[in-house]
Amino acid sequence: MLKKLVIKNIGGISEAEINFNSGLNVITGESGAGKSSIIRALELITGLRGGAKYIRAGESSGYVCAEFSDNKKISREILNTGRSRIKINNINSGLNECSQQVNKLMRIQSQFAQLELLDADRQLMMLDACLPLKSREILNEFGHVFDEARECVRNLRALKKQRAEIEKEYSNAKDIFELIKICRPEPGLENNLEINLTEITHKILTRERALQSINILTGGLSGDGLLNNLANEYENLFEFMPENVSENLREAINNLNDGLKISGKIKNEIQQDKILREKLENRLGALRKLKRLSGRHNEEELILYSDGIYKNLEWLEKSYTELQNLNLRSNDLKRRANYLAMEIRKARQECALKLSERVNKILQELGMNEIIFNINFNGLQKLRNNGADEIEFNLTDGVRSGKVEKIASGGELSRLLLALQISLPDEWLTPVLIFDEVEAGLGGHAAVLTGMELKKLSYKSQVILVTHEASIAALGDFHILIQRVKNESQIKNISGHDRIYEIARMLSGLPEMTEALEHAKILLNQNQKN
């Protein structure tokens, strides 16, 4: 329950403190007295934006503070710069937090608040409030399934993206693996390979030159070499040489022939060195190609890249199973969500008919006999977090048919909201309901019926009503009068003679008129009997 409202420099009110009671609280006063300023102040508490325009002329700031029966105190100071300072139980808060908390405590049916009736999501929430328990459980399950399905799709999308990135980066993985296998990257490898290649090439050249010299001396396969010629010439000179010289020369030729038999060994070493050189060249070539393909510039980067490719490709292989499981889970969740959405649609359509019947009955009692309320369904192709339905509150006035805002006037929208409030389950109601001239355009019996409906509503929630209708004001349990005195709005709680006087003013405009005073007494006495 709203216990007290403090207002400073809002609209036409410079300063006021208003106390409220349970039941039906009525606020009355002449046009222009400042009743709308009270509604604006309450709207500012609920989170109305752009509140700077409601600051009293000439003032730099405005202030509103609402105290509720649960010891909750919410205040908002509005600066002419457009900024706000909000406190909940004297602790600084934000506008969204304030709005969330206040909207649980009270709802305002004013021109500003009527916008909620035009919001498709809000309309669906109203309809869902009428669902039976089993259907609400299905709706709740759908919410969980939908969230899980959406999370599953997000994970699936992320997994596919990661796999695609790895597959793209390592699209030439087969070639790279072969190159890694050949070059076996290690720090300083290219420089070491170049040095080893230079050394092995030098050894091969040296051995090849030695082999060439041996072939010159021995004659190779032909055997017609320098040593053979020397031996032949030696035979011609043998008998003319001293014995010791000839023996030494023969021994030298034989030793040289024996020494030159190493040609086979040299050939074998050259062959081995060439094999080693080819391996070094292949490794160096593979290293340079690997650097080019991987875009890495040195062995350290290449080693990290090589480690990474093994890890990523190993993950790629393992993630395939996860990808399959996510696909299966995603499809299962989508099927379940679609099934639940169709069950919810059936329940909503049944509830829509029942809610329309209740609302139309109340609209007739509120003097809207020509208006028929109905709820249209639009099936969605794509699931949303509240199902697969989009609904539309429609009105038909006998000539036109369309959305409520295209058919109903401001006063009719207020009465439609009232009819909905009465028709919706009690749990939909907030502890405080505020109505701004809900009876606009009504009179006579229709106005009385509207008042009676508000009275019934006040048994469930505290009702605060701004009204110009005397028959409704007389039904109030608590009466607040706002008057304009010397350009100032003054607010006070009235009872007894003051209340009779105010009801008489509302009836005739002439509160001193005897007939008006008598009529006012009758209305108030009738209220006491009710």
Side-chain angles (χ1 to χ4, degrees), residues 11 44 114 130 152 167 183 249 295 321 334 375 395 438 497:
L44 288 170
Q114 285 168 5
C130 301
C152 191
E167 287 170 349
C183 72
L249 184 58
T321 302
K334 286 177 182 178
I375 301 173
L395 293 177
V438 70
H497 179 74

Side-chain angles (χ1 to χ4, degrees), residues 1-240:
M1 185 183 83
L2 178 62
K3 294 196 302 183
K4 185 165 66 174
L5 182 68
V6 176
I7 306 173
K8 294 180 181 179
N9 297 325
I10 298 296
I13 301 174
S14 59
E15 187 168 358
E17 182 177 303
I18 310 172
N19 294 299
F20 298 97
N21 279 341
S22 58
L24 178 60
N25 295 255
V26 295
I27 301 173
T28 66
E30 295 276 7
S31 296
K35 297 185 297 299
S36 61
S37 296
I38 298 175
I39 298 298
R40 298 297 87 78
L42 289 165
E43 287 174 342
L44 288 170
I45 285 292
T46 64
L48 176 67
R49 296 183 181 274
K53 64 183 179 181
Y54 298 121
I55 298 174
R56 183 175 167 82
E59 301 294 338
S60 60
S61 65
Y63 175 81
V64 183
C65 180
E67 294 183 21
F68 295 88
S69 56
D70 61 352
N71 295 320
K72 182 163 286 185
K73 180 179 179 181
I74 299 174
S75 64
R76 182 178 178 189
E77 182 183 12
I78 306 162
L79 307 178
N80 55 16
T81 60
R83 296 176 63 85
S84 292
R85 297 191 187 105
I86 298 169
K87 290 186 177 181
I88 299 176
N89 292 339
N90 298 317
I91 298 173
N92 291 332
S93 181
L95 194 60
N96 287 337
E97 175 65 18
C98 172
S99 178
Q100 289 175 7
Q101 293 210 28
V102 174
N103 286 333
K104 294 176 183 177
L105 297 171
M106 69 181 188
R107 186 172 296 136
I108 304 176
Q109 314 293 38
S110 66
Q111 186 176 2
F112 166 65
Q114 285 168 5
L115 296 175
E116 75 167 1
L117 186 59
L118 314 181
D119 181 75
D121 289 336
R122 190 68 175 173
Q123 291 176 357
L124 191 59
M125 288 175 64
M126 291 181 185
L127 178 60
D128 286 345
C130 301
L131 291 172
L133 178 60
K134 184 178 179 181
S135 298
R136 276 184 278 174
E137 288 174 351
I138 294 174
L139 182 59
N140 187 51
E141 183 188 351
F142 170 83
H144 291 304
V145 172
F146 179 84
D147 289 342
E148 190 176 350
R150 185 165 53 182
E151 181 66 22
C152 191
V153 168
R154 276 198 292 262
N155 292 338
L156 191 58
R157 192 180 296 121
L159 184 63
K160 287 180 177 179
K161 181 181 178 183
Q162 188 174 356
R163 283 178 58 85
E165 289 173 351
I166 292 174
E167 287 170 349
K168 181 180 179 181
E169 183 176 358
Y170 302 117
S171 57
N172 52 359
K174 185 177 180 181
D175 295 336
I176 287 176
F177 272 131
E178 288 301 317
L179 293 172
I180 290 174
K181 192 185 299 182
I182 294 169
C183 72
R184 304 184 305 280
E186 60 183 48
L189 178 61
E190 186 170 12
N191 185 57
N192 292 336
L193 287 172
E194 289 174 344
I195 292 172
N196 290 338
L197 271 171
T198 301
E199 291 176 351
I200 201 71
T201 300
H202 178 71
K203 286 172 68 177
I204 291 170
L205 290 172
T206 301
R207 286 187 169 92
E208 286 178 340
R209 283 195 296 270
L211 188 61
Q212 187 178 11
S213 298
I214 290 172
N215 287 335
I216 292 172
L217 290 172
T218 63
L221 294 176
S222 65
D224 190 20
L226 290 176
L227 286 178
N228 187 53
N229 293 333
L230 182 59
N232 291 334
E233 296 300 327
Y234 165 76
E235 293 296 330
N236 295 328
L237 295 173
F238 179 74
E239 59 184 274
F240 300 104

